[in-house]
Amino acid sequence: MGIPLYSVVIPTYNRGHLLADGIASVFAQGLDDVEVIVVDDGSTDDTRKRVAGFDSRVRYAYQPNQGQATARNRGIDLARGEMIAFLDSDDVWMPDKIATELDLFHRFPEADAVGSDSEFWREGVLEAASRFRFIGFDVPPGRDAIPLAECPPLWLRQSLFSTCCLTVRRAALRRIGVPAFEPQMRSHEDWEFEIRLCNCCQVVLTPRVLARVRRFADETRRFRLPLQGQARLCYEIVRTVRKLPPREPAVARKAAEMRQEFARKFARGAQGRERLECLALAASELREGAGHNALRVLGLGLLPRRGERSPR
């Protein structure tokens, strides 16, 4: 097999019983010019054995458990394709995903990446037929694709698309940064990556549902905490924008707005000794030039609340 057009990176941890579904959905695309790279992040189940049952288009790499970010980075390093696509080991692609993406890359030759919509399933039950609609993102009627630059920067409030709905040109990954995914993050490293991608690259979005995100009650996502209640983490993720090349003023303004909002949200919910962290958060806001917000963070986080003693 020569150099493939598509490289599909699948990080996995103890999901041997689900992995075959995802791999089969890749080969159901009808494209022979594809390779699948399974990065086993320290599994203790029969993942290696199950992967060995596929043909040579599926490559297997093992590493001690280091988290999804490191596993994805390892897959990117091993990938040979012009296009790098991602697929979690419990998710599956719809049969027309690659064909749709190739059409969009042809229609938008300047595009560095294509993102699409997805369904969300939990324990075999459909909970959301459209991630885009669920988070309040609407593609204008009559448009089957739209450049991200024409959309409001909702990706600064939360992740816009599932990682399994993203395909990136290899050349663009170099601009996003190395490593692509932040290895120190055990949770929401995909959103941090998405912010850098959206800031540095030209992305085309399609409202077509091209993947099925599936969640099951197992221990494989024990580090994957919900964003609700993680305002401090959100604050640091959104601050990523300040380290990147300048973008449109509207994006910079929205990033500052969201950063300040997450700072206040953390201060408002801080309890016990956690409230002392508001000092560091206020200092950070001062360095950002947001003195008024720094004062609000201090007021929300440190002033005694009714029926409560000040933290010691």
Side-chain angles (χ1 to χ4, degrees):
M1 179 179 174
I3 296 177
L5 176 62
Y6 262 67
S7 292
V8 184
V9 175
I10 305 180
T12 188
Y13 173 73
N14 284 347
R15 291 216 190 97
H17 60 297
L18 297 172
L19 190 57
D21 293 343
I23 295 176
S25 76
V26 174
F27 294 138
Q29 302 294 311
L31 178 71
D32 292 330
D33 200 9
V34 63
E35 68 173 358
V36 174
I37 302 168
V38 175
V39 181
D40 186 346
D41 189 37
S43 295
T44 57
D45 64 358
D46 61 348
T47 293
R48 182 191 296 265
K49 181 179 178 181
R50 289 177 183 265
V51 173
F54 289 92
D55 62 41
S56 60
R57 290 179 296 172
V58 180
R59 301 162 60 197
Y60 174 87
Y62 179 88
Q63 66 178 31
N65 185 259
Q66 300 174 65
Q68 280 208 113
T70 301
R72 286 199 186 103
N73 290 335
R74 177 87 182 279
I76 291 170
D77 290 341
L78 294 171
R80 299 174 297 165
E82 177 186 342
M83 307 291 188
I84 310 296
F86 302 98
L87 179 61
D88 285 354
S89 51
D90 49 355
D91 300 339
V92 294
W93 285 351
M94 300 304 189
D96 57 344
K97 180 178 186 290
I98 288 182
T100 300
E101 291 175 345
L102 289 176
D103 175 64
L104 291 174
F105 278 119
H106 176 73
R107 289 166 51 193
F108 298 88
E110 73 285 357
D112 297 304
V114 169
S116 54
D117 201 357
S118 59
E119 298 176 346
F120 182 81
W121 292 69
R122 189 183 301 278
E123 295 294 330
V125 176
L126 178 64
E127 291 194 352
S130 165
R131 178 189 180 99
F132 284 179
R133 287 199 299 271
F134 182 77
I135 66 174
F137 172 66
D138 295 310
V139 174
R143 302 282 296 272
D144 67 341
I146 184 171
L148 182 70
E150 297 181 19
C151 306
L154 295 178
W155 41 274
L156 291 169
R157 180 179 290 276
Q158 61 186 320
S159 177
L160 185 58
F161 39 74
S162 303
T163 310
C164 62
C165 290
L166 176 66
T167 295
V168 186
R169 293 187 191 272
R170 171 189 291 280
L173 284 172
R174 302 189 188 99
R175 295 204 305 277
I176 296 169
V178 178
F181 293 87
E182 174 51 60
Q184 299 303 315
M185 296 183 67
R186 300 286 280 188
S187 177
H188 304 293
E189 76 292 334
D190 47 355
W191 182 28
E192 195 269 349
F193 168 81
E194 182 181 323
I195 284 179
R196 285 185 282 122
L197 170 76
C198 292
N199 196 77
C200 300
C201 298
Q202 297 192 52
V203 183
V204 171
L205 299 176
T206 175
R208 295 190 61 176
V209 173
L210 298 181
R212 180 170 293 162
V213 176
R214 307 186 301 174
R215 295 294 177 264
F216 300 92
D218 56 26
E219 295 299 315
T220 60
R221 291 180 176 266
R222 61 188 186 280
F223 296 111
R224 184 74 177 183
L225 303 173
L227 269 181
Q228 293 81 359
Q230 291 199 75
R232 189 69 172 89
L233 174 62
C234 293
Y235 179 86
E236 294 300 334
I237 291 175
V238 172
R239 283 186 75 212
T240 298
V241 174
R242 64 190 283 273
K243 306 174 187 177
L244 301 172
R247 277 292 299 264
E248 295 85 355
V251 172
R253 287 194 299 271
K254 186 64 175 181
E257 173 190 321
M258 293 311 307
R259 189 199 72 238
Q260 293 179 36
E261 181 179 319
F262 286 131
R264 295 192 299 272
K265 184 177 180 180
F266 174 82
R268 194 176 292 116
Q271 298 182 11
R273 295 187 64 84
E274 185 182 49
R275 292 173 64 179
L276 295 178
E277 193 173 342
C278 294
L279 290 170
L281 206 56
S284 176
E285 281 298 278
L286 280 175
R287 289 192 295 271
E288 298 285 354
H292 180 69
N293 200 53
L295 290 175
R296 292 188 66 184
V297 168
L298 288 174
L300 289 168
L302 296 183
L303 291 181
R305 298 167 186 168
R306 183 176 297 177
E308 183 179 86
R309 294 181 181 180
S310 300
R312 295 181 179 181

